[in-house]
Amino acid sequence: MNSIRVIGVGSPSGDDQVGWHVVRSLAHQPLPSTVTLLELDRPGASLLRYLEGMDAVVLVDALRAGFEAGSVLSLTREDLLTESRIWSSHQLGVAEALALGEALDLLPTRLALIGIEADPSQTSLKQLSLPVQAAIPQAVAKLSSLLAEWSQATSSPSPTIPVLTDRQ
Amino acid sequence: MADETQQRSVELHVPVLTRVEGEGALHLRIRDGQIEQLQLAIFEPPRLFEKFLEGRSYEEVPDLVARICGICPVAYQMSAVDALESLFGIDPGPWVQDMRRVLYCGEWIESHSLHIHLLAAPDFFGYDNVMAMAKDHPDEVRRGMHLQGLGNALIRLLGARSVHPVGVRVGGFHHAPDEREVDNLLRQLRDALPQAEAMVRWTAAIDLPERTQSFPSVACQSDDYPLVGGRIVSDRGLSIDKSAFEQQFAEHQEPHSTALYSLLDGQPYLVGPMARLNLHRDRLPAAVTHLMDSLPIDWPSANPFHGMVARAIEIYYALHEAIRLLGAYRRPAQPFVPVTPKAGTGFGCSEAPRGLLWHRYDVDAQGLITAARIVPPTSQNQARIEADLRESLTDFGLDQPDDALRQHCEQVIRNYDPCISCATHFLRLTTERL
């Protein structure tokens, strides 16, 4: 696997920041040198630009899927492209952007999403809720094993990887 | 066909309008085959931005107003700096003025490309959304997204990021890009010209509904095709200084909508790409007018559905304009002029992607905002959209099934590219046939 990207998707409010936190934690782990890390703020359809040229992409995002707050879910490419979609009027969400990417044949061969169930009772705009904060190590562990599985056994680990951002 | 007994009375509700920026609804009541009531309801909560600005320094205004909209933040910044610099008596000079045009071109390209490809075009090809359209028209959608990406890149060049840019200040810019960055983007813009031309021809070849409607077109007027500042003019003889806007244009509230309605001499009017083309096509460069002359549309146009073609033409123009201005780019010693605030009232206007965006600021001697008024294009178009719907629905046939009526209403409304998030201050359709 030549190029792998991990993209934390979110916004600077409450549990929606968790994708960025997970990516920042991942940056301190030994990772294959083919991995790039990125934080995106509500990218809409422009998410597809950051998938271009990649062999594999893992998205990390907060979810509202009805599980217990802090639950960590792994969604496969198939899961992501068959989930029921709600068309958001103001901008495309991740699921819609991926559906558009599939129609345009822009998606990488390997695609997954690590989702962390947000806490609906979280009222702080600044901080993560406790259950979501506590879920970060588990999300990082899932990511690490997925990346290890995807990367070539021959690629050497790189100690620190810079996190690129495109914020609003 | 409808006979007398089928000339029913119907009440149609579109509860949530999709593929528009923001939340709104439409209520339609048809009694005995006549429209009795038609209301475009904008029910996003009021944004109260004008109140947020009170007590803030003039220096904070460009960053604060950029937060009003993620699609057209540059427009809010440009009308704001136009108003404040007019009040302070500042001329930021040709470099700043040129780069403001470049930044604004980026926003037109980004916003218009998004609207044409992701929001409006699926209507004209009979798809529910762009995901469905992309399966059959992948090249056109990819091309549109590439153009949108170039618009975003232009905004990033001068604004440091593509959404809610932070590069603008009263007096100029915080930062001037270096020549290498400019050259790099310039090459990509030049490469995109044939794609933009093909995109214009593609929109002009779409089988658009035939409509002829009468409405005044209103836009800013300057020496060039309008972007920032100038007078406010209409094709019915209006020509006023921007400070006289409030005397000519009256805003009022209707109970069904959180957006204000704006009228010119008591009548609805049009702002936006079609209004600009109707008024100012003589200010376009030859490359753009040659392309327009080769299309099967005569300008000025009285068919509101030509709005999408007007948007496409403006993408082509904005690419040319950005190339022209960046082709002469030199990095200045300082990308702004110094500003000394003074007390008084400043008026500003600019051409947002969706049309005229007017601002007024009352400022005290310390440069703090004591009052602000912002009149966005979608609230100005709201009365025109309702007038268009009345005419279009009658032309379309009120005896059509509810689903067809609802689709047609959505198509008419979306054609104006309403930015309801900005205006709140989209479609649930409810139809009653009584």
Side-chain angles (χ1 to χ4, degrees):
Chain A
M1 197 59 60
N2 294 319
S3 52
I4 304 178
R5 178 165 283 168
V6 181
I7 305 178
V9 180
S11 70
S13 45
D15 284 345
D16 204 23
Q17 305 166 79
V18 70
W20 302 346
H21 284 269
V22 170
V23 165
R24 275 173 230 161
S25 298
L26 195 66
H28 300 296
Q29 307 271 320
L31 292 172
S33 57
T34 51
V35 173
T36 53
L37 303 177
L38 186 65
E39 293 175 20
L40 294 179
D41 186 345
R42 292 157 288 178
S46 69
L47 174 66
L48 299 177
R49 275 208 297 282
Y50 299 98
L51 309 185
E52 268 183 63
M54 292 290 128
D55 297 310
V57 170
V58 194
L59 302 166
V60 191
D61 198 0
L63 282 183
R64 281 271 177 93
F67 293 92
E68 198 176 321
S71 303
V72 179
L73 293 96
S74 300
L75 299 182
T76 63
R77 195 180 204 278
E78 290 67 35
D79 294 334
L80 287 166
L81 297 174
T82 53
E83 284 296 299
S84 64
R85 291 185 283 268
I86 297 166
W87 180 269
S88 148
S89 60
H90 197 64
Q91 69 172 11
L92 278 80
V94 168
E96 293 87 5
L98 293 178
L100 180 58
E102 191 198 22
L104 297 175
D105 199 18
L106 294 174
L107 298 187
T109 321
R110 291 190 174 204
L111 179 68
L113 184 139
I114 305 287
I116 299 100
E117 181 78 24
D119 183 350
S121 64
Q122 167 70 340
T123 50
S124 167
L125 281 176
K126 286 191 174 163
Q127 287 173 348
L128 297 177
S129 64
L130 290 175
V132 167
Q133 177 79 43
I136 292 175
Q138 195 196 341
V140 171
K142 279 201 178 183
L143 264 167
S144 298
S145 63
L146 187 61
L147 294 175
E149 183 191 319
W150 281 4
S151 26
Q152 290 170 339
T154 52
S155 72
S156 53
S158 167
T160 49
I161 293 181
V163 181
L164 305 172
T165 63
D166 190 0
R167 289 289 178 76
Q168 297 188 13
Chain B
M1 292 299 291
D3 58 31
E4 278 302 306
T5 55
Q6 282 177 306
Q7 212 178 51
R8 47 206 173 148
S9 299
V10 175
E11 184 138 343
L12 192 66
H13 297 259
V14 175
V16 180
L17 273 167
T18 58
R19 278 191 277 134
V20 295
E21 312 293 348
E23 310 298 330
L26 185 70
H27 180 80
L28 177 65
R29 188 187 298 143
I30 300 168
R31 189 186 291 276
D32 303 328
Q34 301 283 322
I35 296 174
E36 185 176 82
Q37 189 185 44
L38 188 153
Q39 292 178 330
L40 175 61
I42 289 180
F43 53 81
E44 284 224 337
R47 303 282 298 279
L48 310 172
F49 253 94
E50 289 142 319
K51 280 285 169 197
F52 295 158
L53 291 163
E54 289 179 10
R56 299 287 195 152
S57 164
Y58 75 92
E59 292 170 297
E60 296 180 90
V61 171
D63 291 335
L64 285 167
V65 295
R67 289 279 164 178
I68 292 174
C69 183
I71 311 290
C72 55
V74 171
Y76 285 89
Q77 297 183 309
M78 293 299 106
S79 288
V81 295
D82 183 51
L84 293 165
E85 289 170 6
S86 297
L87 168 62
F88 301 156
I90 290 165
D91 176 2
W95 186 88
V96 169
Q97 282 159 0
D98 286 354
M99 289 309 111
R100 283 179 178 166
R101 286 186 76 80
V102 170
L103 178 64
Y104 223 143
C105 284
E107 180 158 286
W108 279 16
I109 294 168
E110 163 261 321
S111 176
H112 286 353
S113 300
L114 171 78
H115 181 258
I116 290 172
H117 298 89
L118 268 56
L119 305 180
D123 281 333
F124 299 107
F125 292 97
Y127 296 99
D128 282 343
N129 56 51
V130 68
M131 282 86 80
M133 190 176 92
K135 290 194 175 80
D136 299 332
H137 302 273
D139 295 342
E140 288 81 359
V141 175
R142 260 191 227 114
R143 182 176 66 202
M145 292 179 65
H146 175 65
L147 291 168
Q148 187 191 344
L150 288 174
N152 283 329
L154 275 168
I155 298 173
R156 206 177 297 117
L157 179 76
L158 289 151
R161 57 190 188 191
S162 60
V163 181
H164 304 311
V166 290
V168 173
R169 58 188 283 167
V170 180
F173 288 88
H174 289 290
H175 170 82
D178 66 37
E179 273 109 348
R180 202 168 33 90
E181 277 178 280
V182 171
D183 283 347
N184 197 9
L185 186 50
L186 196 49
R187 207 170 309 120
Q188 296 176 58
L189 297 172
R190 287 190 176 121
D191 288 347
L193 279 173
Q195 295 175 59
E197 182 182 336
M199 184 270 305
V200 173
R201 293 190 188 284
W202 172 69
T203 59
I206 294 171
D207 188 18
L208 298 167
E210 289 289 337
R211 295 281 185 275
T212 304
Q213 297 184 3
S214 176
F215 49 84
S217 293
V218 172
C220 301
Q221 178 173 291
S222 52
D223 292 341
D224 295 314
Y225 196 71
L227 278 161
V228 184
R231 293 177 69 76
I232 295 168
V233 301
S234 82
D235 56 3
R236 306 266 170 98
L238 177 82
S239 175
I240 56 167
D241 188 85
K242 59 195 175 187
S243 62
F245 178 88
E246 286 168 299
Q247 283 79 61
Q248 293 288 334
F249 295 85
E251 276 192 310
H252 70 279
Q253 182 114 47
E254 302 259 355
H256 64 270
S257 182
T258 54
L260 295 169
Y261 281 73
S262 183
L263 298 173
L264 169 61
D265 301 326
Q267 297 297 318
Y269 60 98
L270 179 74
V271 298
M274 213 172 109
R276 292 191 286 256
L277 271 191
N278 279 348
L279 279 156
H280 296 310
R281 63 205 173 283
D282 60 334
R283 287 170 166 78
L284 290 166
V288 180
T289 51
H290 283 156
L291 175 58
M292 288 173 74
D293 290 345
S294 71
L295 305 176
I297 296 172
D298 291 328
W299 301 92
S301 169
N303 181 356
F305 282 111
H306 289 154
M308 189 162 80
V309 185
R311 230 166 254 120
I313 292 167
E314 286 196 337
I315 292 173
Y316 189 61
Y317 165 71
L319 271 176
H320 274 283
E321 182 69 351
I323 291 167
R324 177 180 78 84
L325 294 166
L326 291 179
Y329 184 82
R330 292 285 175 275
R331 194 161 196 259
Q334 182 175 284
F336 59 89
V337 296
V339 175
T340 308
K342 66 179 183 197
T345 299
F347 304 92
C349 62
S350 76
E351 285 293 332
R354 292 157 188 80
L356 174 64
L357 171 59
W358 185 85
H359 287 203
R360 188 200 76 211
Y361 296 95
D362 295 347
V363 183
D364 71 13
Q366 283 72 50
L368 301 180
I369 307 302
T370 57
R373 189 165 171 227
I374 293 173
V375 184
T378 293
S379 59
Q380 298 183 69
N381 272 340
Q382 197 176 354
R384 173 83 270 275
I385 297 173
E386 287 187 355
D388 185 340
L389 279 167
R390 284 175 179 276
E391 290 189 50
S392 279
L393 284 173
T394 307
D395 289 351
F396 183 67
L398 293 171
D399 52 345
Q400 297 273 356
D402 285 7
D403 267 1
L405 279 182
R406 182 186 50 75
Q407 271 180 359
H408 195 72
C409 288
E410 292 196 18
Q411 187 175 13
V412 167
I413 295 165
R414 246 180 241 124
N415 184 54
Y416 287 82
D417 190 10
C419 190
I420 286 165
S421 312
C422 286
T424 52
H425 332 232
F426 182 147
L427 178 70
R428 269 180 218 270
L429 174 62
T430 55
T431 313
E432 293 174 78
R433 297 180 197 251
L434 305 171

